[in-house]
Amino acid sequence: MKKTSLKSVLFTLFLLVVGALPALAGEGGESGKALILGLSAIGAGLAIGPAAGGAGAGQGQAVRGACEGMARNPQMAGKLTTTMFIGLAIIEALAIYGLVIALILLYANPLAG
């Protein structure tokens, strides 16, 4: 029996969703609107999930590097801390961008009409 990969399963699901959109685009827009709102909720989850995960991983690496630097050279602790906080703010801004996209998709959806 042939083993299917995750990539082929996701591609098949994508084709099913994309194929269903034109069928629901005609008259009687309530079912089409419900589909758009449902897919927007999925898109919001896909927007915030990787943004939060990537920000968490990036912040963990930044703090680890700063702690290692302070352990090797304690005199540089002040400069390392300042630089680390600036980097953490920039990393957190990327997660906030994902949150903004998710909130736009959920509450100010331009596709729902």
Side-chain angles (χ1 to χ4, degrees), residues 76-112:
M76 293 296 293
K79 290 183 180 182
L80 286 174
T81 303
T82 304
T83 306
M84 179 190 68
F85 282 138
I86 291 171
L88 290 177
I90 292 170
I91 293 169
E92 192 64 33
L94 295 175
I96 291 172
Y97 293 151
L99 176 65
V100 168
I101 291 170
L103 292 175
I104 287 172
L105 286 175
L106 289 176
Y107 298 110
N109 194 338
L111 301 174

Side-chain angles (χ1 to χ4, degrees), residues 2-15:
K2 187 177 179 184
K3 201 174 188 184
T4 59
S5 68
L6 178 64
K7 186 176 178 181
S8 64
V9 171
L10 290 176
F11 184 69
T12 304
L13 288 174
F14 173 75
L15 288 178

